[in-house]
Amino acid sequence: MKLYGLSGTKISCALISACINTPYNIPRFIKDLIAGITVGIIAIPLAMALAIASGVPPQHGLYTAIIAGLVIALTGGSRFSVSGPTAAFVVILYPVSLQYGLSGLLIATLLSGIFLIFMGMARLGRLIEYIPLPVVLGFTSGIAITIATMQIKDFFGLTLEHMPESYISKVIELTKTLPTINIADTIVGFVTLMILIAWPKLKVKIPGHLPALIAGVIIMFIFNQFGYQIETIGSRFTYTMADNTIGHGIPSVLPEFSVPWLHTEFNWDWSMLTALLPISLTMAMLCAIESLLCAVVLDEMTHTKHHSNSELIGQGLGNIIAPFFGGISATAAIARSAANVKAGATSPIAAVLHSLVVLLALICFAPVLSFIPLSAMAALLLIVAWNMSAVQRVIYIIKCAPKDDILIMLICMSLTVLFDMVIAITVGIVLASILFMRRIARMTRLVELNQSNDKTLALRINGPLFFAAAERTFSEIYQKINGYKHIVLQWDAVPILDAGGLNALIHFIDELPEHVDLSICELQFQPLKTLARAKVVPTSNKIMFYSTLEEALKDKD
């Protein structure tokens, strides 16, 4: 059984391979059920916390985990990925929700889904392999720093009416408001944070998110008895029901279908839509990077293989459908997906069940969720930011990697914090490409062979002859030709001849003195093909080609 997208790219690859091509039975379902419940418990507070950090009410994070998590699990290409709101999106979504409101965020999400569909149909899934590790570590660490900074306000209960957009302004405003610290909020956040840090050391199967939040709620109730007021989900957020009654916290109703652009007081026009297009492309790029990185990590953990283009199409469908039910941007979450694997998941059914667990919590426990303190949610996101920062890998790069890689990582990190992810990734990839080309160009060297004599200069070119290396290489050869009648170049170690290398070769031939001829031997296939297409043919007393070095030298005797 095969399902195909418009361009022939298969969708639902993970579901088909795991549950249809491979027999699915009751024991496997039980394993998926356990994994789904485990990840669902983790996803409930995270989805709410990430929605709040993105500037929208917490129920929209739950809607995202329910709708997008379900759709992507059924249509994607990674067997163990669990999708929903993730921390990486916070730095992009918060400014959008601030400027355009919930409607703008939903429309941007829908547009990003369309971009993802096009990426999958164009088979761009393998392009993730061309993003260097220092670039990835740089922008993920930068995002982690930004997210952690944004949690300071709620963690300490600071009084801050408006959070500035630029990072430097955020730090300045947070510093100014430090005297407004709320000791009760701080203690609740600190207790929650300590439990989250210590819980993994207990090595129990229950995720630490739930016990930590329960402890935070208990501490809050104790402080309330002494007259301290601690801000909660219920005290900050309100909602309006269909009968115009206003409630506090999270509505315990199913996600309802609604058109995204009707959520707003703005009059949407083409100019506002075009303003969201570059943001949507940024969201699509980040979704593609994070979901495919997650799939690669899961492949290493499970010794399986994901289908990258199918995963992009699945992510696109999830981000197109979710906004019609109030869901914001979603992508595969590495932490939740890894927990899914460790909990024993065998198929995408586990991710489907995770969405149903979140749905059950929304319907049955919404009033209880409204009591969660915002300082406890901030503590949860601080842990997420720490895990996302990959501190150990960053330290390893700084200690062991070449200086070029360290420079790229630090530049990407700084640009992500001070500007945005797109600038960071663009500059990082361009800089990494330039430095890589410089390294490769330096590898192209000339070696003088023992067969040289008074009349013949025999040289071996070791390395690619591309635009960054060819001019220098042929200039070095030209400086050596004085006094020789024959130049023999051995090309057995030249794997590539590009347009720049071809141009440098032709220029070198044209500049040769009349009494000097050139012989090239032992060409590999790609350079030979390039020369043939350029119609570079043997010319008497100018340039000749030979199969072996021995033939070339013998002809010069």
Side-chain angles (χ1 to χ4, degrees), residues 501-512:
L502 177 65
N503 181 70
L505 173 63
I506 293 173
H507 180 72
F508 174 76
I509 295 171
D510 291 340
E511 293 295 318
L512 281 176

Side-chain angles (χ1 to χ4, degrees), residues 465-467 470 496-506 526 530:
L465 284 175
F466 70 115
F467 64 93
I496 294 173
L497 177 69
D498 73 348
L502 177 65
N503 181 70
L505 173 63
I506 293 173
Q526 194 277 337
T530 301

Side-chain angles (χ1 to χ4, degrees), residues 15 39-40 43 47 60-86 255 311 314-323 325 327-333 336-337 340 347-359:
L15 185 67
V39 180
H60 293 282
L62 298 176
Y63 298 159
T64 307
I66 295 167
I67 304 300
L70 181 69
V71 172
I72 295 169
L74 294 176
T75 60
S78 179
R79 185 178 299 194
F80 302 101
S81 289
V82 177
S83 297
T86 62
E311 179 66 7
Q315 294 289 339
L317 290 172
N319 281 280
I320 289 173
I321 296 172
F325 295 89
I328 59 176
S329 292
T331 186
R336 274 162 273 171
S337 301
N340 189 39
S347 74
I349 299 300
V352 172
L353 293 170
H354 131 275
S355 296
L356 298 179
V357 169
V358 178
L359 177 62

